[in-house]
Amino acid sequence: MPETKPTVLVLTALALEYTAVRAHIEEREDRTHPDNGTIVEVGQLPGTPWQVAAAELGEGARNTAALTASLIGWLRPEAVLFVGVAGGLKEDIGLGDVVVGTKVYGIHGGKQTPEGLLIRPEAWYGSHSLLSAARAAVRDLPGVRAHFKPIATADVVLADAGSELARHVREHYNDAAAFETEGAGAAHAAHLEGRQALVVRGISDHADAGKASADGSGSQERAATQAADVAVAVLRKYRPRGGGSGDSEEGPQGRYGGDHIDFRGAVFHAGVIGKQTGER
């Protein structure tokens, strides 16, 4: 039987985000989760060792967390990427730029007291190996402006820069560069399941009163395309665990099963006696 490629799970919330991701996947076929009925498309990412399982989950962090955990348990991917659009929170980040999440905040944690709201932040850091692959990948993407910054998640669409929510984010999550509604759910599920995770967001608006106008101009489609391009470039750099160059047969330490010994480069003039133990 042919060896099955390692799987990476690529998730989106919206149809336009899914379409941008799907354009990169070949030999696609539908698979249906045997318990909850979630449909994923599984295919190949050309030029990479990856089999990609892509799914459109809909909006909301809680929905995303539940479905991501379920899909991880079913498909057993090595890594999880959440790809889509977001509102920008910084003046120097323009429409069409891409924010790669160094960490993702869940912004609603806290305790309300007579003295005010005491913030109890939650944050999930992006996988170091995926972030490293992303930093290397974007160097070779002409026309893409990528920013490696934190991302804020809430189950709210932010379209008013003067709102109490916007002030809350500026005051307590001032380093966040993008605002969206699913990333923390995916990151939390991946963390619980012990998977590498990364959130990649294209900026489609400035999280202010101009959101509807920006969306109407086609900014969401452009931002989704840019985010998908970056995510795919990341997977072209990222390698499955155990698949690095140090594992090649020319490397200093070969990896074999328990009854193999690496004798390359040695010469023997008699038989060899060995003892197999539980140690490596």
Side-chain angles (χ1 to χ4, degrees):
M1 294 177 60
E3 183 178 353
T4 302
K5 287 187 174 184
T7 299
V8 62
L9 184 59
V10 180
L11 304 173
T12 71
L14 306 175
L16 62 91
E17 299 165 342
Y18 187 81
T19 298
V21 168
R22 189 176 191 256
H24 295 276
I25 306 171
E26 297 183 354
E27 302 176 39
R28 301 184 304 270
E29 63 176 12
D30 284 353
R31 296 187 191 174
T32 303
H33 193 292
D35 296 323
N36 62 35
T38 302
I39 297 175
V40 302
E41 278 192 305
V42 178
Q44 308 303 317
L45 188 60
T48 78
W50 296 110
Q51 173 177 266
V52 175
E56 177 188 341
L57 301 184
E59 299 177 69
R62 286 174 293 181
N63 174 70
T64 298
L67 291 177
T68 300
S70 180
L71 291 174
I72 290 173
W74 174 40
L75 298 169
R76 313 305 299 170
E78 289 201 14
V80 178
L81 273 67
F82 202 97
V83 182
V85 302
L89 299 176
K90 302 294 184 183
E91 292 183 357
D92 60 341
I93 297 180
L95 300 186
D97 287 7
V98 176
V99 176
V100 180
T102 53
K103 58 184 171 182
V104 182
Y105 291 120
I107 71 166
H108 286 309
K111 179 181 181 181
Q112 189 68 51
T113 73
E115 292 76 31
L117 179 65
L118 304 180
I119 301 303
R120 294 178 175 178
E122 292 184 289
W124 297 268
Y125 284 81
S127 154
H128 169 72
S129 54
L130 285 168
L131 282 168
S132 182
R135 294 182 192 278
V138 298
R139 299 177 196 138
D140 301 321
L141 288 180
V144 173
R145 292 186 69 224
H147 310 266
F148 291 79
K149 299 287 184 181
I151 293 171
T153 299
D155 274 318
V156 179
V157 176
L158 183 57
D160 181 2
S163 66
E164 181 60 35
L165 177 61
R167 289 192 291 272
H168 175 79
V169 173
R170 286 194 297 270
E171 180 178 352
H172 299 289
Y173 304 94
N174 187 255
D175 56 346
F179 188 95
E180 45 92 273
T181 57
E182 293 85 26
H188 182 50
H191 170 74
L192 291 178
E193 297 290 339
R195 295 302 189 272
Q196 308 290 310
L198 192 66
V199 178
V200 180
R201 292 288 189 173
I203 300 303
S204 60
D205 60 78
H206 293 296
D208 58 13
K211 174 175 170 53
S213 176
D215 291 349
S217 72
S219 64
Q220 284 193 328
E221 288 80 2
R222 292 192 297 273
T225 297
Q226 293 284 73
D229 288 348
V230 169
V232 168
V234 170
L235 293 179
R236 294 192 186 284
K237 291 287 186 180
Y238 184 61
R239 290 292 177 266
R241 286 169 292 184
S245 60
D247 295 330
S248 70
E249 289 192 356
E250 299 304 318
Q253 297 181 7
R255 294 185 180 181
Y256 299 95
D259 61 347
H260 289 74
I261 305 173
D262 187 356
F263 285 141
R264 286 172 295 175
V267 177
F268 295 90
H269 299 284
V272 176
I273 300 174
K275 177 181 180 181
Q276 182 175 347
T277 71
E279 300 178 355
R280 290 292 182 113

